[in-house]
Amino acid sequence: MVSNVNYQVVSANEWLFSDSEVSGDGACIISLIAARGSRIGCQILVNHVPNPSEIRWSYRSKTATSDLQAEVYQMIDVLVNENTGPDVSTVPLGTPADYATRLAPFRVYDALQPVGPAYPSRSTTEALYVSWDIPIAMTPGDYAGVFELWVGETSFTIPVSIQVVHATVPEQAALATTNWMSIQNVAKRHQLEMWSEPFWAMVRKYGEAMRRAKQTHFLVGLEFIQVQAGADGQYTFDFSRAERLIRMFLALGFTGIEGGHVAGRTDWNAPNFVLSYDNKIDATGTEGFAFLAQFLPAWHQFLSMNGWLTITIQHIADEPIEESAADFRILSGIVRKFMPGVPLIEAMIYPAIEGSMDIWVPTNEGFDKHREHFERMQQLGDTVWFYTCWNPGGNYLNRFMDLHLLKTRYLHWGNYKYGLTGYLHWGFNQYLGEQDPYELTCPFLAPSVHSRRVPAGDTHIVYPGADGPLLSMRLEAMRAGIEDYELFQQLAAYDRDAADEILSTCMTSFTNVNTDMNVFDEAYRRLLMSLSAYAQQTSIVEESI
């Protein structure tokens, strides 16, 4: 019997869907260009898989000086329940959404299950993600290899060509990034006892997944700090769990600590903040001040004793709006009083709160709306990052599953374009309640926030696997975008006009980007080759001195 199994090599920058079909003119070879210190990859789409089948693969280098190893992942399709709205949240099924890749519901390959050289098929359509880590020390040049794929009784030999250029992505990213991890979900989704040794081993795996994506900062919330209240109004604090997390994550290569939010709101429009420790206590009232006057100095002293003050930034209370601006100013003053020298950071919405923070974090839409304000803050010495969450939607860049995958990568082109030196997102693994992140990607948020759904994937960018977190195509796109940022910054140091011109071929604003793969590929190649030329010239000059 003649097999009709066929395959196609697809860019890592575009989505594959459960109903994707191999096209007659699709690529049958793997051809990639890479900077040293980066990761590169591609997808392989396979149709007409006899199910069940055993899928096997191998990779061997044909270049004597290369020891590159391929990582292979079986891609898992997840359900997009509804489309992103034009501003926030989602829209009912059938609503036009010309900014989306397709109308919901549909299934898209996002989750990545690492596999060994043999594994069982899941359906008659299979997708693989193949990735290579390019060492910084690798000699620039052309490297050839062969990727062999067996699907049941059918085999394919796929030539591999990897061009490694002189440009280098540094091991430590200059761009500050953070995704917030839910330790409750680490324990719950992996059926582990909180604070047990298996729990801590799993937390480490989540940290490793963050670091793969170049994440620099990590949140240390009050859940890591044991608080004991005495009858006399005195508190004692045990920082041993926080210390264990911090030491573990710094050893993994993180470079920044985020002190957790000291307060929050019981209702979105509430004018006052309550303590994170006890949401019945007004944070700026007498009782709240008494707690903060003891906790914050103890936290400051703990960080100072361990030599961590200089790498710490401190959150206050998430997303202050106009109704809570006055209370936020008072609260930030209290935090600043007891945390001298530590920069204050917050994701924020209402901009007229000058002096209450050092690191402003608006959404990319908020930055657009108040760009003059934030550029003035930068001129006055403050730092500006940006964040995304369940908004903005529509044509804005975000990392939702119904938007083009390149839009996740382009987020960090925006960091370079506008001089925004960090990026924040709340949802590393923030599954809500009993949410199945594979089948319910658009859950409802808590009624105290709003009663609408979050867009597909906003709650998470990793998935709970049997042995740890599963990476996602969006997390890979985010990592690639951070690497791009580093390359743009380096090229700009040689020739800002050249860097800006290359970027402008793909991006002119947070709402106007080019998702044509040919246009992107050309811009990326130009970025690598332009930087390589300058870097190589500099290297030659330095060697001659």
Side-chain angles (χ1 to χ4, degrees), residues 58 82 85 102 108 119 125 172 258 263 267 276 289 316 326 380 388 406 425 460 466 469 479 491 499 510 536:
S58 71
E82 294 183 355
R102 55 168 61 185
V108 62
Y119 61 93
T125 292
Q172 287 293 348
E258 290 174 85
D267 181 81
S276 298
F289 180 83
I316 308 159
L380 292 172
T388 60
L406 264 178
H425 198 287
H460 60 282
R479 172 196 50 74
L491 179 56
F510 276 123
Q536 200 164 11

Side-chain angles (χ1 to χ4, degrees), residues 220 225 238-244 246-247 257 295-309:
V220 184
I225 301 166
D238 182 346
F239 296 104
S240 56
R241 291 170 178 169
E243 181 175 357
R244 182 165 183 175
I246 292 169
R247 292 192 184 281
I257 300 167
F295 167 67
L296 291 171
W299 172 236
H300 188 276
Q301 182 182 26
F302 161 74
L303 293 167
S304 179
M305 287 175 56
N306 285 284
W308 295 331
L309 267 184

Side-chain angles (χ1 to χ4, degrees), residues 35 49 64 72 80 90 127 196 214 372 386 411 420 424 460:
V49 176
V72 176
V80 173
T90 63
S196 66
K214 305 285 188 180
E372 184 178 340
F386 81 98
L411 283 168
L420 307 175
L424 179 153
H460 60 282

Side-chain angles (χ1 to χ4, degrees), residues 329-346:
R329 282 183 177 278
I330 297 170
L331 182 57
S332 67
I334 295 171
V335 177
R336 201 179 289 282
K337 172 185 175 68
F338 294 116
M339 295 284 288
V342 175
L344 304 186
I345 179 173
E346 208 56 77

Side-chain angles (χ1 to χ4, degrees), residues 466-543:
D467 301 314
L470 301 188
L471 308 176
S472 71
M473 289 303 293
R474 291 173 298 132
L475 188 63
E476 286 291 274
M478 180 180 173
R479 172 196 50 74
I482 294 168
E483 292 176 355
D484 295 344
Y485 171 91
E486 304 297 332
L487 296 170
F488 273 117
Q489 287 288 93
Q490 290 180 62
L491 179 56
Y494 295 112
D495 189 337
R496 179 81 193 200
D497 289 341
D500 291 351
E501 190 276 325
I502 293 170
L503 182 138
S504 69
T505 64
C506 291
M507 177 182 188
T508 57
S509 72
F510 276 123
T511 58
N512 187 11
V513 295
N514 195 322
T515 55
D516 183 296
M517 293 308 309
N518 292 324
V519 174
F520 172 82
D521 288 343
E522 175 61 21
Y524 183 61
R525 175 174 285 276
R526 287 181 60 202
L527 172 63
L528 291 180
M529 300 309 292
S530 298
L531 177 57
S532 293
Y534 280 110
Q536 200 164 11
Q537 290 172 13
T538 301
S539 177
I540 292 172
V541 170
E542 289 175 349
E543 289 175 3

